[in-house]
Amino acid sequence: MKRLLTLTVALMFVATGSFSSAAELKSGIEVGGRPGAYTVNDCTGPNAGKSLCYRCSYGGRPVVNIFAREMNSDVQDLIAQIDAKVGENRDQKMAAFVVHLTDDADTSNAALKKIADSKQIKNTPLTNFEGEAGPSSYNISKDADITVLMWVKGEVKVNHAMKKSDLSKDTINKIVKDTSKILN
């Protein structure tokens, strides 16, 4: 009887998801939080070659901020789709920028320029941040390969954090769909 009760309790935990082997990955500012200022090196945007704060430049506009440790093909597809969404929503002044978290800014700069050209990124500056940890006030997890934050009027409305193996076509579609949460 004791064995049956123990087995039943264990199955209840598994069925409800209360007992899981891997915790949900958390990275970046939580929904409801306020993104702060931080400086990036603009590699492809209107301020290419300069250091600036896009968080400051974009003010209260609806913004998508993608942090990525690696610029693999899935990340590039995500960037291209967000870039298209920004272009479609110019009337709402939607903006986006990508931050490559790296310890090698020179190599990153060249790679980001190639990506912008090959994917025809026109509306979304590709930038880098010197240091893989990212801006300290953003709490980017060392375990997250990609962190996507979306905010409007200075309040985070969407937060996606994932390993590169979790970024699929379906995940990209969900992220792009979530831009509706920052648009009027």
Side-chain angles (χ1 to χ4, degrees):
M1 184 70 163
K2 242 183 191 180
R3 276 180 137 178
L4 181 60
L5 182 61
T6 303
L7 181 60
T8 302
V9 170
L11 287 173
M12 285 175 34
F13 274 113
V14 170
T16 62
S18 298
F19 182 82
S20 65
S21 59
E24 182 181 339
L25 183 59
K26 293 189 183 287
S27 179
I29 300 167
E30 292 185 21
V31 171
R34 300 253 179 229
Y38 68 99
T39 302
V40 294
N41 302 309
D42 191 340
C43 301
T44 68
N47 296 295
K50 297 179 183 173
S51 293
L52 73 152
C53 174
Y54 272 111
R55 163 61 187 98
C56 302
S57 297
Y58 290 150
R61 295 166 60 179
V63 176
V64 178
N65 185 182
I66 301 170
F67 291 93
R69 297 187 187 287
E70 183 181 313
M71 293 294 163
N72 64 30
S73 62
D74 290 330
V75 171
Q76 292 177 38
D77 289 345
L78 171 63
I79 294 166
Q81 289 190 41
I82 291 296
D83 186 65
K85 191 59 109 169
V86 170
E88 293 167 11
N89 290 283
R90 287 180 200 262
D91 59 328
Q92 294 189 51
K93 300 193 184 307
M94 183 180 182
F97 65 110
V98 175
V99 180
H100 183 207
L101 301 173
T102 181
D103 286 331
D104 187 351
D106 292 335
T107 301
S108 170
N109 189 23
L112 294 175
K113 287 178 182 178
K114 284 181 184 175
I115 292 167
D117 288 341
S118 70
K119 292 290 186 175
Q120 299 181 351
I121 306 299
K122 304 286 184 216
N123 306 300
T124 305
L126 305 184
T127 73
N128 61 43
F129 184 89
E130 292 185 48
E132 291 183 7
S136 61
S137 65
Y138 277 64
N139 301 318
I140 305 298
S141 171
K142 64 180 175 46
D143 297 326
D145 295 313
I146 304 107
T147 301
V148 180
L149 301 174
M150 297 182 204
W151 62 76
V152 64
K153 297 179 183 165
E155 182 180 344
V156 174
K157 301 291 186 181
V158 176
N159 177 321
H160 291 282
M162 66 211 83
K163 297 259 187 207
K164 63 183 169 186
S165 60
D166 296 329
L167 188 61
S168 64
K169 286 184 180 183
D170 289 339
T171 307
I172 291 170
N173 289 337
K174 180 179 180 349
I175 292 169
V176 172
K177 186 177 179 184
D178 276 353
T179 60
S180 67
K181 295 177 181 178
I182 60 170
L183 296 169
N184 294 328

